[in-house]
Amino acid sequence: MTVGTSGPAQPRNALLRDGAAAGATGIDPDDLPDGLVVADEHGRVVCFNAAAARITAVSPDEALGRPLDQALPLEDLKGRRWWLLTDPYGGLAIRAGQPERNLLLPGGREVLVAARYVREHPLGPVRKVIVTLRGTEARRRTERSHAELIATVAHELRSPLTSVKGFTATLLAKWERFTDDQKRLMLETVDADANRVTRLIAELLDISRIDSGRLEVRRQPVDIAAAVGRHIQAHTAGGQSPDRFFVRVRRPLPDLWADPDKIDQVLGNLLENAVRHGEGTVTIEVAPACAQDDQKGTAVTVSDEGPGIPEESMSRVFTRFWRGSKRGGTGLGLYIVKGIVEAHGGTITVGRGPGGGAEFRFTLPVGTPAYLA
């Protein structure tokens, strides 16, 4: 490939500063979030914006007017010179560019690079090569998040599956040696651990749907005050004192159309967090609320009297793997809660309650289906 063999150097970032481009669009290359490098028909750099300078550590004054392969020396992950491999000016005339891929800058720093070849007419010579540059930090964070998710799942699955395997193997091998009470105890443990695995798998499916925007909401009329009552009954049946809970319902409540199973999931998670991590009385308030654009809705507030959430952690409460304490859990529950609430068109916030503990408040619009509106 021969890049930049002739042609005069142009002023700094001239491509988008002339009247035909900047005047028409008002876009300054330095305002773009990604790195932008443009070479003319002679292969010389005519645009090298501020983001490109930051990513490559090459100043625009050094890059402008130089051959593209010198101003932006890139290698693939095998150490081969990228411009020599792709040959934008001398390769097949049917090519439109290069898809985004990981390449290496001098020094071995990775960068995401994509290129487009601009021709005045199909199969004509390349008049411009437009290259975009992006750092790999966001992709690395995503990869780390996925790796952390896999590690968390593996850790959470190992304990219950070990228990299930151990007890079932013991029962099968030595069934006659155990009393009925011993058998019942082991089977109850197996059942509890199987439920734990089922919940974890359900959480993973919810995360997958939330991340991909495929979380389905099957709207039905929901009595959210009654749903709160059912959850409190379940906690009291499990050994919690009825005095631990205080419910305040401000009527009249507007009609609410929502997915009852998912609303149960939200209430169950918030109440479980308040009981497990909080102290004192857990207060649940259900009241009418005005959502955005004066749309009617319902607000539910769950607060406790525990130590609360540190101020510096407030912004991370609804992220993956956030844990308010070391009392177990995957750290995925509140991330899923936020996804469910937002899938209903609602909002959720966290703050400090009147008793000093954590206070979670979520609002849901009425959500009347279109065919009833």
Side-chain angles (χ1 to χ4, degrees):
M1 178 188 90
T2 302
V3 177
T5 57
S6 62
Q10 297 192 31
R12 182 176 185 271
N13 290 344
L15 179 76
L16 296 185
R17 294 186 190 279
D18 60 22
T25 63
I27 296 176
D28 186 326
D30 291 341
D31 292 336
L32 298 175
D34 293 337
L36 176 67
V37 180
V38 182
D40 63 12
E41 60 186 347
H42 304 292
R44 292 189 177 273
V45 175
V46 295
C47 178
F48 200 90
N49 74 346
R54 174 176 48 80
I55 292 170
T56 63
V58 175
S59 71
D61 291 337
E62 294 179 73
L64 290 170
R66 295 183 66 192
L68 182 58
D69 59 349
Q70 296 178 22
L72 190 62
L74 294 168
E75 294 181 350
D76 65 12
L77 300 184
K78 296 181 180 180
R80 297 173 299 186
R81 295 169 59 191
W82 192 59
W83 296 115
L84 189 62
L85 288 173
T86 57
D87 193 9
Y89 292 91
L92 293 174
I94 60 173
R95 295 180 307 165
Q98 296 290 333
E100 187 175 70
R101 65 190 65 197
N102 279 43
L103 296 175
L104 299 176
L105 291 168
R109 182 185 174 190
E110 282 193 46
V111 64
L112 296 171
V113 180
R116 183 184 173 202
Y117 308 153
V118 179
R119 308 174 191 271
E120 290 182 355
H121 54 83
L123 306 182
V126 173
R127 296 303 183 188
K128 293 189 186 80
V129 174
I130 301 175
V131 182
T132 59
L133 307 173
R134 291 195 298 132
T136 59
E137 293 81 5
R139 179 174 291 185
R140 295 298 183 200
R141 285 195 298 269
T142 301
E143 291 173 351
R144 285 195 297 269
S145 178
H146 289 165
E148 189 174 358
L149 179 61
I150 291 171
T152 299
V153 170
H155 175 76
E156 293 293 329
L157 285 175
R158 180 180 300 171
S159 177
L161 288 179
T162 300
S163 172
V164 168
K165 176 62 178 175
F167 278 122
T168 53
T170 301
L171 286 171
L172 288 171
K174 303 177 181 180
W175 179 266
E176 301 299 335
R177 299 186 184 183
F178 297 108
T179 66
D180 288 345
D181 288 341
Q182 289 172 327
K183 293 174 184 175
R184 177 178 293 276
L185 177 61
M186 285 190 277
L187 289 173
E188 287 175 348
T189 304
V190 168
D191 183 64
D193 284 333
N195 288 336
R196 181 177 167 189
V197 171
T198 301
R199 286 195 300 272
L200 179 59
I201 293 173
E203 286 183 348
L204 293 175
L205 291 173
D206 285 336
I207 287 176
S208 174
R209 295 182 183 117
I210 290 169
D211 288 347
S212 63
R214 295 185 294 105
L215 187 66
E216 294 183 4
V217 175
R218 296 180 173 87
R219 296 185 184 272
Q220 303 174 29
V222 173
D223 186 340
I224 199 163
V228 169
R230 289 195 303 272
H231 281 277
I232 291 176
Q233 287 178 359
H235 280 284
T236 55
Q240 292 290 330
S241 169
D243 296 334
R244 181 84 193 272
F245 303 95
F246 176 72
V247 181
R248 182 187 300 117
V249 180
R250 300 185 183 276
R251 299 185 184 274
L253 295 173
D255 294 334
L256 176 63
W257 288 75
D259 189 316
D261 292 336
K262 289 182 171 54
I263 297 304
D264 274 344
Q265 193 173 351
V266 170
L267 291 172
N269 193 292
L270 295 181
L271 284 172
E272 179 70 23
N273 280 349
V275 170
R276 179 184 298 179
H277 304 295
E279 297 173 3
T281 302
V282 176
T283 301
I284 305 98
E285 179 179 271
V286 183
C290 289
Q292 293 180 350
D293 302 324
D294 296 327
Q295 183 183 14
K296 293 182 179 180
T298 302
V300 179
T301 305
V302 179
S303 59
D304 61 70
E305 298 174 341
I309 299 171
E311 193 70 30
E312 63 272 14
S313 298
M314 290 287 187
S315 61
R316 297 186 288 110
V317 167
F318 297 109
T319 60
R320 290 185 185 182
F321 310 117
W322 183 85
R323 295 180 178 89
S325 71
K326 297 182 179 179
R327 302 183 193 176
T330 61
L332 301 174
L334 291 175
Y335 178 80
I336 294 172
V337 163
K338 183 174 185 288
I340 291 173
V341 170
E342 291 180 348
H344 281 81
T347 59
I348 184 167
T349 58
V350 61
R352 190 168 295 279
E359 178 180 277
F360 290 89
R361 183 177 189 270
F362 69 91
T363 60
L364 299 172
V366 171
T368 306
Y371 66 88
L372 293 177

